[in-house]
Amino acid sequence: MEKLAFERPIIQRINAGLPSKHGISRKLEPISHIDEVPIKSLMDEYGSPLFILSESTIRKTYKEAYRAFSSRYPNVQFAWSYKTNYLNAVCNVFHQEGSWAEVVSGFEYDKAIANGVPGELIIFNGPDKSREDLKKAINNGSLIHIDHFDELYDIIHISKEIKERPKVAIRVNMDVGVYPKWDRFGFNFENGEAWDALNRIMGSKNLDLIGLHTHIGTYMMTTEAYRVAASKLAHLAVSLERKHGHVIQYIDLGGGFASKNTLRGAYYPGTDTAPSFDDFAEAITTALMNSEIKPSHLPMLILETGRALIDEAGYLAGTVLANKRLSDGRRATIIDAGVNLLFTAFWYEHEIRPIEPISEQTEDTIIYGPLCMNIDVVRSNITFPLLKKGDHYVIRRVGAYNNTQWLQFINMRPNIVMLDVDGKTHLIRKAETLETINNQEVTPEHLRSFNL
Ligand SMILES: *Cc1c(COP(=O)(O)O)cnc(C)c1O
């Protein structure tokens, strides 16, 4: 018989109904299944660590967001923010649900085209668009959101050269009461720069001004900021109609809704503090409906929601590598996924749970990733059960930004699977191998051999 591991006895205070900061129980319940599929069996087949995406959660979240806006406003369109997660399988779930594509580089633009998104349903944002990118986007009839005057002059120049009428909007930055202000992208509202850019576009005669865009920030926890943003864009739309008799087709409020993750250092968990899609929709649509825009000219409302649509659908499962004691006696648990795979650990106190029922004992623990680097901390302080080497964990709400910002650093990037709505598993991105990495390298002839 295998000898049982020693567990020191514990004395537990019975709290008759006295909740901890986060609710009734301090115990971390295991998460053993995702969409009824055992996490352990997924790791047995696809390795550890492993990213797992739930297609049904993506669709459910999207439908919830769409309902919140479309039940309050006549003309609503979502555009999937590629940089939030540009795995083709993920993008295509959103495209199947009706989302256009929102891209911020030539690479992302080409990815959307390769996925089969029609050019005229691609929104091209960001400060980095080369002349070649712009030409391609203009020829495809894509929606180009101008970031700065140099880009505006480039577009006017190209439009004359290739005799096409580019479809453009401007990105507007503004004071929405959240600081620091995001004023590095687009044209400023308060100092008149945005109005100046609009007049220049109207004056150029070569461009079709079709929309107004803003993206006020990310992980916004206040709906009021969106009310202000929508009012300011509506004000520009009204001014355009008044002065130029020009009616724009859409107002694009960008992304930025908070997901249910908890920010580092936050007192309350994100599940309690993030406004709902209904809250955001109420603020935005009320501002547009109550603006001076004529009801017959109400523009399409575009949303480029990223993290709030995908965070919940992503999981990162893996294995405990070791436990040790720090010099001050604190317990440290080392796991096989670190900030190389979980870039968002820099921002969030990610929820991490065991996948099988384990000891009732908990201890204040610091959870490290596997990297040989001091900043590789997944949780700096968590009351955590005593997982042993070889035990498994799962980290929740990792769908946004990790599969795009991850680093091939020290280790290679692992498999990603998607569970479809019938619970079937699909490998959607293969783990990297030494070959993947070496394929990109070219070693000069004289450096190919050595004698030691
Ligand atoms: C990143 C980005 C988004 C998505 O932002 P989230 O905070 O993930 O919702 C939308 N629009 C633009 C222009 C962006 O840069």
Side-chain angles (χ1 to χ4, degrees):
M1 200 180 101
E2 202 186 327
K3 199 167 160 238
L4 290 174
F6 171 75
E7 282 202 357
R8 67 183 154 76
I10 48 169
I11 297 171
Q12 247 173 354
R13 188 165 61 157
I14 309 290
N15 277 330
L18 232 195
S20 79
K21 167 173 128 178
H22 298 310
I24 305 300
S25 166
R26 276 194 171 273
K27 195 171 162 229
L28 283 180
E29 292 298 333
I31 297 180
S32 57
H33 291 66
I34 299 170
D35 295 353
E36 290 168 32
V37 181
I39 298 174
K40 178 69 171 51
S41 71
L42 290 172
M43 275 193 278
D44 288 345
E45 187 166 355
Y46 296 97
S48 170
L50 176 68
F51 278 98
I52 304 157
L53 286 152
S54 159
E55 183 184 334
S56 58
T57 303
I58 303 176
R59 291 188 189 274
K60 198 175 85 206
T61 312
Y62 177 85
K63 286 187 167 78
E64 168 67 12
Y66 187 77
R67 181 204 50 74
F69 281 89
S70 61
S71 60
R72 292 177 167 86
Y73 195 82
N75 192 359
V76 173
Q77 179 63 51
F78 278 79
W80 175 240
S81 156
Y82 264 49
K83 78 169 187 295
T84 309
N85 189 321
Y86 45 57
L87 291 164
N88 294 332
V90 168
C91 296
N92 286 357
V93 173
F94 284 108
H95 298 322
Q96 283 186 355
E97 290 288 339
S99 275
W100 297 355
E102 185 274 326
V103 303
V104 291
S105 68
F107 156 68
E108 288 188 359
Y109 185 92
D110 291 344
K111 219 165 190 290
I113 291 282
N115 277 339
V117 181
E120 61 274 22
L121 304 185
I122 300 177
I123 295 172
F124 199 169
N125 279 320
D128 170 22
K129 309 179 188 91
S130 71
R131 284 188 151 233
E132 286 61 45
D133 295 336
L134 287 171
K135 265 188 202 164
K136 195 171 5 179
I138 294 169
N139 280 321
N140 288 336
S142 301
L143 314 170
I144 303 172
H145 289 184
I146 305 171
D147 185 76
H148 46 260
F149 280 112
D150 284 332
E151 186 182 331
L152 171 57
Y153 300 142
D154 261 355
I155 294 174
I156 293 176
H157 187 85
I158 295 169
S159 72
K160 289 181 182 154
E161 183 186 308
I162 65 175
K163 301 199 169 45
E164 291 279 346
R165 286 185 73 78
K167 288 195 249 170
V168 301
I170 61 161
R171 174 157 174 179
V172 181
N173 69 66
M174 57 184 81
D175 186 348
V176 292
V178 175
Y179 307 99
K181 274 190 288 193
W182 274 32
D183 59 1
R184 58 169 285 191
F185 302 109
F187 302 90
N188 186 254
F189 178 83
E190 285 80 17
N191 71 9
E193 195 186 29
W195 183 233
D196 182 18
L198 292 172
N199 283 310
R200 278 168 207 271
I201 292 170
M202 292 311 298
S204 84
K205 308 250 189 295
N206 294 41
L207 313 187
D208 276 340
L209 176 67
I210 55 168
L212 295 167
H213 172 233
T214 189
H215 172 63
I216 57 176
T218 194
Y219 200 91
M220 307 296 281
M221 292 163 74
T222 149
T223 59
E224 170 64 11
Y226 285 92
R227 187 195 62 73
V228 173
S231 307
K232 289 185 174 174
L233 290 189
H235 175 83
L236 289 176
V238 170
S239 305
L240 278 168
E241 188 165 356
R242 201 170 288 150
K243 175 168 173 185
H244 297 278
H246 183 73
V247 178
I248 52 146
Q249 294 169 24
Y250 64 81
I251 281 183
D252 179 345
L253 262 293
F257 302 158
S259 73
K260 292 191 165 56
N261 260 310
T262 304
L263 285 182
R264 273 192 170 193
Y267 187 76
Y268 291 111
T271 42
D272 291 353
T273 54
S276 65
F277 288 124
D278 281 303
D279 297 334
F280 286 118
E282 186 66 22
I284 291 171
T285 59
T286 306
L288 292 181
M289 306 287 256
N290 292 352
S291 74
E292 296 293 309
I293 300 176
K294 292 198 187 89
S296 57
H297 289 170
L298 265 188
M300 170 191 267
L301 168 60
I302 297 182
L303 298 147
E304 305 169 343
T305 312
R307 73 174 75 239
L309 285 178
I310 189 70
D311 234 359
E312 198 75 26
Y315 298 80
L316 177 57
T319 310
V320 172
L321 300 178
N323 286 294
K324 65 198 293 186
R325 292 276 163 200
L326 301 182
S327 58
D328 62 4
R330 245 182 324 158
R331 182 181 172 89
T333 295
I334 307 169
I335 60 175
D336 61 352
V339 292
N340 53 325
L341 303 183
L342 200 65
F343 196 86
T344 53
F346 290 126
W347 315 112
Y348 291 143
E349 286 179 3
H350 275 294
E351 191 178 327
I352 172 165
R353 308 259 200 113
I355 75 162
E356 45 276 288
I358 22 97
S359 157
E360 294 275 321
Q361 300 203 19
T362 58
E363 194 175 323
D364 283 347
T365 305
I366 176 160
I367 300 183
Y368 290 121
L371 304 181
C372 202
M373 202 179 65
N374 206 32
I375 61 163
D376 191 20
V377 180
V378 175
R379 286 294 304 266
S380 52
N381 188 4
I382 179 174
T383 307
F384 204 62
L386 309 183
L387 264 61
K388 300 183 299 299
K389 176 180 163 65
D391 284 347
H392 301 291
Y393 65 86
V394 63
I395 304 174
R396 288 182 74 180
R397 300 192 188 97
V398 304
Y401 294 102
N402 287 304
N403 298 143
T404 45
Q405 290 189 291
W406 52 356
L407 309 171
Q408 190 276 301
F409 176 57
I410 301 184
N411 281 322
M412 281 165 296
R413 291 172 282 204
N415 281 323
I416 306 179
V417 295
M418 181 182 277
L419 309 178
D420 72 17
V421 293
D422 302 317
K424 222 175 121 213
T425 309
H426 305 264
L427 179 64
I428 62 167
R429 191 181 191 276
K430 286 186 280 189
E432 292 166 343
T433 63
L434 180 58
E435 219 189 340
T436 321
I437 310 304
N438 279 345
N439 268 342
Q440 296 306 110
E441 293 196 32
V442 186
T443 311
E445 191 59 47
H446 68 288
L447 298 177
R448 289 198 185 157
S449 63
F450 44 77
N451 291 310
L452 288 178

